Amino acid sequence: MRRTALLASATLLAALLPMTTAAGASGADDPDPAPVPVDRFEGEVPFASPPAEGLFTWGGDGDDAPALGLTSRADAPEGGKVLTGSYDISGYGGFTHDFAFAEPAHDWSAHRGIRFWWEGRDNGRKIAFEIKDGGANGEASELWTTSFTDDWTGWKQVEIPFTDFTYRTDYQPVGGIDQVLGLTETWGYALTLPVGVKGDFAMDGVELYGRADQSLRAAVTTGAAVYPVEEGRAAAVELTVATTGAAPLGDPVTVAYETAATGTAEPGKDYTPVTGTVTFPAGTPSGATRTVTVPTLKDKRAESAETVPLRLTVTGARPPAENPQVVVDAHGLPYLNAKLPVKKRVADLLSRMSLAEKAGQMTQAERGAIGTGADIASYDLGSLLSGGGSTPTPNTADAWAKMIDGYQLRAQATRFQIPLIYGVDAVHGHNNLVGATVMPHNIGIGATRDPRLAERTGAVTAAEVRATGVPWDFAPCLCVTRDERWGRSYESFGEDPALVESMETVVQGLQGARDGRDLKDGDKVLATAKHFVGDGGTEYGSSTTGSYTIDQGVTKVTRQQLEAVHLAPYRTAVDRGVGSVMPSYSSLDILGDGRGPVKMHARADMINGVLKGRMGFDGFVISDWNAIDQLPGDYASRVRAAVDAGVDMMMVPYSYKEFTATLIDEAGAGRITERRIDDAVARILTQKFALGLFEKPYADTGGASAIGSAGHRAVARQAAAESQVLLKNSGGVLPLKKNQKVYVAGSNADDIGNQTGGWTITWQGASGDITQGTTILDGMRKAGGDVTYSRDASASTAGYDVGVVVVGETPYAEGVGDVGNGNDLELTAADRAAVDKVCAAMRCAVLIVSGRPQLIGDRLAGIDALVASWLPGTEGDGVADVLYGRRPFTGQLPVTWPKTQAQLPINVGDAAYDPQFPYGWGLTTLNRVPEGGATTLKGLGAAAAVAERAGADEVGRALVTKARLIVQRKVGQAVTAAVAKPFADADHLLLTGRYGKAVERLTAAYRAAA
């Protein structure tokens, strides 16, 4: 049915808005006030899209959204029209009414519930009904849900008390707010329609009914769900009464309590049973607290943890969502002794664990899937993660620490109190956290050619991540990007495995010493080498994941190519002591082995054979997000394949229950061996002990004050500066002078979201002011320049000395950014227009802010200076530093810059190699650029060969750099294929320590230059 906007008069709309109290409808003393309309469906509610007020549909794919309309019906229960719709849903679908986001939220707290007329079809299907509570608007609120069953025919008024609504645990748009149904700020409602059946519906007369009793306006909460206590001490359980609007209690609230004998602790032996009643009299202020004390008893036995449930019966208020439990801490067992070697602690703990407990350790769930966290103990979960954008509300360091501490507290209710290991994708700083220091993406770090700086960026990231309670980082990506059409290419340090290996100092920045002795420190985290192996080599067009074109596709290589290009960085990572490894989504097709493409999560030859066997990796392997779902066969066979291949922990964000049940069944039936299970769990426990989590499971927030600090941002600023690659600089346009009048334009000059890229605050990132930082424009202004800004270059260009046009990409992540999936390597029409206008009017420098090269050849002649700025992170000051000469340009291309897309893939070492700019290219603005010619190069070559033989790496690198600058001076912009190939080869040779040979190749490039 065609959706048409239906407008109503302001008078009618105002009359239909819910009143703030029932008393406003019918008087304060009326025990049964008149109902308050929400939707009559007579035309007062428009069809619209969020976040504007109106009804809108949604669905899992293009044809899952229902069709809606307003239909005149003689049998309408209320008025003359009803809301009608038809649907045929395969995934999920439904409709929502969001109240106007520009108006105050509605206060429903004075009412008992919500009701509406529904025309039954008697199909026995459940229909979910949810309301949106709190938050900024309907699309940033908290979801509370219930359901009704369509098991009648004809019109029926469905009444749903607000007490029936429960917090939705599988999805929250902003990660949840306070998990309290306050109803004082309600933003709308939504219905989810039945799946797998074609149908239609009719609905009418949504309204609020009844008067709320105190049990809706008041609630009793406990300070925590779990109260760990040392044996022999008393646990103090806090009971707090809270009211909507913080009003004093109108009626008394009583809480009867008693310890229940249903826990694992034995009454009279492990604790003293208690029973009693706590009363909060009428007039008690909201927030008042009482304490119930549960004494535990000490004996001389070594024991695992034991639980004592405390049963609460509340009268006059809503009870806690769950009864609290006291936990008598495990004590006296060898694995708890920090003085014992880790191997002995692991062996002792492993020998005590049940199969279910071991399965739990092999399971990682998403925080958004576990609600309040009770499932952590129910399923003995070993790990949680925050996917990209999965954050607490508010998104602050303190909220992160409190959230994770709450989850760790839940783990204390398990038999052996094995702490969780919490993981995040902190791929360029603690990028999920607003206000954190965001580094350049790896492609920019590769451009710095500065391993010491890479290590420092890792150290800053680790410090900020650990200070929020997170001990595990899913970084660094050791992919070797071989095709810039790949949407993840900016996650790579570059196209040369030697460059990737050189940047793996970041592992030490994250973890500290190679032997793991620093992991327990409050500023270090467990690193993850990903994605094993070959994710950067996937063939364009080989992906079978949705609309992706290259990400998660097939890497086709000879065994020699596999070893030299894609496996090499993992040998280095293992040597550096990396604690975990994540396999790739992609498939590996080793030419000649007869197996064809096999998903990496199922390649036992590579994970068990090469990684754990030949390389000697002794950490644990964590799967990628739901990666086992991409394996062939039924679920049980997919679990077997991944576990037997060597995956130790499975990232199953929302299917953790199914995974643990299946793993237990498969192991119980002998289809997965006990030996394999024990190996996986031992590897996981080893890292938990190394991280010191058994001794200190909770966040050490001592370093939180340094998050986003000047010192940390100084490191990011230096990284941003060193990552800038000067590709062209005709007439010495750069560096700028402070006395010049500078005209700044372009889409990426003043956009912190664009310059930080994907994996920033959310998975895909976003344009705009998404976090704290300095844009490139801000940095230029702070540098003291005379700057005028016009984003689209619409302002007059007359009277300026030089223009700076900052253009490039908008954020994306993973296969969403694949070329061919709605993306290309061309500048937008607006960016091209800005470049053309500014560069036609004055001398100009063009900065390209992007995760990969952009095709600029058709405009290169009209551009005086060209800079590859990559994705510099939050510190635009660093870009300004090189623009204004505070630092010289020293960056070098980490990937080959192509002339056309038809050249892709193009990489250093290719037989045919004719790029716009070769791998390793990077002009400098050093005050003293080396001079000389063939004779000078000959001398540099001899000296470099001596340095190579002597193992004088620093000297050797300096000699090759000097030779490179001499060659670049002669080449200028005349980069031919004869120049490009030996030039690029030289940078690879430099990175592999062959300094003499590197100067030889540079000499060949010099001779080939015009």
Side-chain angles (χ1 to χ4, degrees), residues 46 91 189 741 876 914 957 963:
Y189 64 88
K741 289 187 67 177
D914 185 20
R957 287 191 291 266

Side-chain angles (χ1 to χ4, degrees), residues 651-731:
M651 190 186 292
V652 278
Y654 293 94
S655 55
Y656 59 92
K657 296 178 184 178
E658 183 181 10
F659 171 74
T660 53
T662 303
L663 181 58
I664 290 167
D665 287 347
E666 292 301 295
R671 290 185 288 270
I672 297 176
T673 66
E674 181 181 2
R675 181 179 179 182
R676 174 68 194 102
I677 297 283
D678 285 354
D679 172 64
V681 177
R683 289 170 176 269
I684 295 163
L685 293 177
T686 296
Q687 298 302 333
K688 290 187 176 185
F689 280 118
L691 285 161
L693 295 176
F694 281 83
E695 288 70 49
K696 293 182 179 180
Y698 305 113
D700 177 356
T701 58
S705 61
I707 294 173
S709 66
H712 285 185
R713 290 184 184 275
V715 175
R717 179 175 180 166
Q718 181 182 346
E722 291 191 25
S723 72
Q724 304 299 293
V725 180
L726 184 58
L727 300 173
K728 179 181 180 181
N729 194 27
S730 296

Side-chain angles (χ1 to χ4, degrees), residues 392-407:
T393 303
N395 187 358
T396 63
D398 183 60
W400 273 89
K402 287 180 178 177
M403 174 185 74
I404 295 170
D405 281 356
Y407 295 142

Side-chain angles (χ1 to χ4, degrees), residues 366-367 385-391 400 422-425 432 625 759 761 763:
E366 153 66 33
R367 59 164 287 278
L385 84 150
S386 279
S390 178
T391 66
W400 273 89
Y422 199 101
V424 298
D425 286 278
N432 279 309
W625 180 283
W759 289 109
I761 310 305
W763 174 41

Side-chain angles (χ1 to χ4, degrees), residues 425-434 436-438 441 758-762:
D425 286 278
V427 298
H428 61 141
H430 197 354
N431 43 255
N432 279 309
L433 172 63
V434 172
T437 307
V438 178
H441 268 294
W759 289 109
T760 308
I761 310 305
T762 60

Side-chain angles (χ1 to χ4, degrees), residues 285-368:
S286 180
T289 298
R290 304 286 187 270
T291 300
V292 174
T293 301
V294 180
T296 68
L297 302 174
K298 191 173 182 64
D299 58 35
K300 295 182 180 180
R301 292 179 300 168
E303 294 175 301
S304 57
E306 298 169 311
T307 57
V308 185
L310 185 64
R311 186 179 297 128
L312 304 177
T313 304
V314 179
T315 304
R318 288 197 307 274
E322 60 183 299
N323 285 319
Q325 58 180 327
V326 173
V327 178
V328 183
D329 287 338
H331 54 278
L333 300 173
Y335 78 89
L336 295 170
N337 185 354
K339 295 180 180 179
L340 288 178
V342 167
K343 279 190 176 181
K344 287 191 175 181
R345 298 179 74 183
V346 169
D348 176 69
L349 179 52
L350 193 62
S351 71
R352 300 173 186 278
M353 296 171 67
S354 68
L355 175 58
E357 288 165 331
K358 293 173 183 177
Q361 289 302 302
M362 295 175 66
T363 307
Q364 184 181 66
E366 153 66 33
R367 59 164 287 278

